[in-house]
Amino acid sequence: MATTQPYERHFDEDVAQTTNICPECEGRVTTNTHETACDDCGLVLSEGRVDPGPERRWFEEDGSENPSRTGAPWTPTRHDGGLSTEIGWKQNGSGETSGQRRRQLARLRRLHRRSQFDAKKDWYRMDGLYEVRRLTGALELGAGLRDQACALFTSLHRSGLATGRSLAAVAAVAVYVTCRVNELPWTQADVLAVTDCDRSLFRATLQAARQEQGLELPPRSPAAFVPRLASAVEAPDGVRARATQIVVSLPVEVYNGANPSGVAAACIYAAAREQAVSITQAELARAAEVTAVTLRSRLTEIEDVLDGR
C-alpha cells in the first residue's frame, strides 16, 4: 500500500510547510501557530507567538463597555511616569460601605500615596511638573510640547538645578526653552505673564541652566513672529504670505542681533504697503512690543535688501 506524507495534498490552516532547513540535522522545519520546530530532531527554533491585538471581551457587571485591561501609558508629565496604581472611589455592589470600612480605605489611600515617593525630592518634582502642566495649559501648548517641557524639567531637576531655587522659576525656564527650541513666538514676557516668579529670578535661573547645565538656545527666527503679529493687526492672508516670503529672503546679517519681533513687524508693514493695505506703524509696533523708531530702522534695512542696494 502506497504511503504519503501527511498534509501533502490538503491544506491545514494550523500547519504551514516551509522551505527552511534545520541548522542541526538539515531536516525539514515546519511552523504552526505556536512554534517553529524540526520534524526530524525536534529542535525548536522559535516559539511563543504573542497576539498583539487588543482584548475584545469585557464583563457587563462592571458597567463599562471598554475592553481595555491596561492602565494609562507612560507619560513624562508625572513624577512616577503615571504607572503607579490608585485606590479608586467607586463602590461596587449594592448597599453602602460602613463607616469603619470608609475610614480604613482612607488610611490605605493615604499610605498608598506616600509609598509612591521614594524621597522628598520626588514631592518637589511632582509640584514642579504640575506647574509645567499649568503653564503649558495657560499658553495653550499642545500635548507634545507639554510632554517635552515636562521631560526637560525632569532633566533639570535631576541635574541639581532646582536645589536652592524656586520650582516655579525652573518650570518657567523649561516651558520657555521648549517654546524657543520649537520656534514658537512666545517670549519671556508671555511666560512671565502666567507664572508666579519675577523677571530677575527667571533670568537668573535661565542663565544658571545655560552655564551649569550647558543648555543651548538657538537664535530666534523672525519668521516665527509673522503669523502672530499678522493676526494681531488683522492683516489679510496675502500680506501674511508676502511677509513670510520677505523674511525668508533676508540674509542673516540683516537681522542678526536685532529684535526678531521688530524685524517681523517691519516685514509685515513692507508687505502691506506693497499690496496697498492700511496698516499703521503704531499698530505693528504696539503688537510687536517695540518702538516705532525701531520698526522704521528695520524697515529701511529691509527696503535696501529688496531694492538690491
Side-chain angles (χ1 to χ4, degrees):
M1 181 178 64
T3 59
T4 59
Q5 294 291 338
Y7 309 114
E8 182 178 358
R9 299 178 182 175
H10 300 82
F11 173 75
D12 190 350
E13 62 181 3
D14 189 39
V15 178
Q17 298 277 347
T18 64
T19 58
N20 295 334
I21 299 177
C22 177
E24 295 291 338
C25 64
E26 298 183 356
R28 187 182 63 174
V29 175
T30 57
T31 303
N32 55 25
T33 57
H34 301 287
E35 62 183 11
T36 300
C38 177
D39 294 341
D40 297 336
C41 65
L43 177 64
V44 178
L45 301 179
S46 63
E47 63 177 349
R49 294 180 58 188
V50 179
D51 184 9
E55 188 176 359
R56 296 300 181 185
R57 66 170 186 159
W58 59 85
F59 300 96
E60 297 180 357
E61 56 267 30
D62 290 343
S64 174
E65 296 184 356
N66 183 11
S68 176
R69 292 294 185 272
T70 59
W74 182 89
T75 172
T77 61
R78 305 287 180 178
H79 72 283
D80 55 356
L83 301 180
S84 60
T85 59
E86 294 182 1
I87 300 178
W89 296 84
K90 183 178 179 180
Q91 177 180 347
N92 296 327
S94 59
E96 296 183 358
T97 307
S98 62
Q100 181 180 1
R101 181 60 176 172
R102 288 196 300 268
R103 289 190 296 271
Q104 180 184 10
L105 290 175
R107 291 193 300 270
L108 290 175
R109 290 190 186 95
R110 182 171 62 254
L111 294 175
H112 183 65
R113 180 176 176 82
R114 292 176 180 176
S115 65
Q116 297 176 1
F117 303 93
D118 296 334
K120 193 67 175 180
K121 61 181 181 180
D122 293 335
W123 284 90
Y124 296 137
R125 188 166 77 251
M126 180 192 68
D127 295 338
L129 291 174
Y130 174 78
E131 179 67 13
V132 172
R133 296 197 302 270
R134 188 187 69 83
L135 294 179
T136 54
L139 296 176
E140 298 181 354
L141 302 180
L145 296 175
R146 178 201 61 195
D147 295 346
Q148 186 176 352
C150 289
L152 179 58
F153 174 84
T154 301
S155 177
L156 295 176
H157 185 272
R158 289 177 177 175
S159 62
L161 182 67
T163 303
R165 293 186 175 90
S166 172
L167 288 176
V170 179
V173 167
V175 174
Y176 172 73
V177 172
T178 302
C179 296
R180 183 81 172 262
V181 171
N182 291 274
E183 298 183 355
L184 296 180
W186 303 119
T187 60
Q188 295 184 10
D190 297 326
V191 178
L192 290 173
V194 294
T195 189
D196 296 333
C197 65
D198 55 5
R199 182 181 297 270
S200 60
L201 182 59
F202 172 82
R203 290 186 174 180
T205 306
L206 180 60
Q207 187 67 17
R210 301 183 64 177
Q211 293 179 353
E212 300 177 7
Q213 309 302 327
L215 191 64
E216 298 182 359
L217 297 179
R220 312 207 69 165
S221 175
F225 292 87
V226 172
R228 181 181 182 181
L229 296 179
S231 300
V233 297
E234 299 180 356
D237 294 338
V239 174
R240 179 183 304 180
R242 176 54 182 163
T244 304
Q245 293 178 359
I246 295 175
V247 170
V248 174
S249 63
L250 292 177
V252 181
E253 295 78 9
V254 175
Y255 57 84
N256 189 16
N259 189 340
S261 181
V263 176
C267 292
I268 293 176
Y269 184 79
R273 193 164 57 178
E274 288 181 2
Q275 301 181 10
V277 177
S278 177
I279 299 178
T280 62
Q281 296 182 4
E283 294 176 350
L284 283 171
R286 191 181 309 110
E289 297 181 355
V290 296
T291 62
V293 177
T294 301
L295 190 148
R296 285 192 292 268
S297 300
R298 302 287 84 81
L299 180 62
T300 303
E301 298 174 356
I302 292 173
E303 289 178 345
D304 293 341
V305 173
L306 296 178
D307 295 339
R309 291 179 289 180

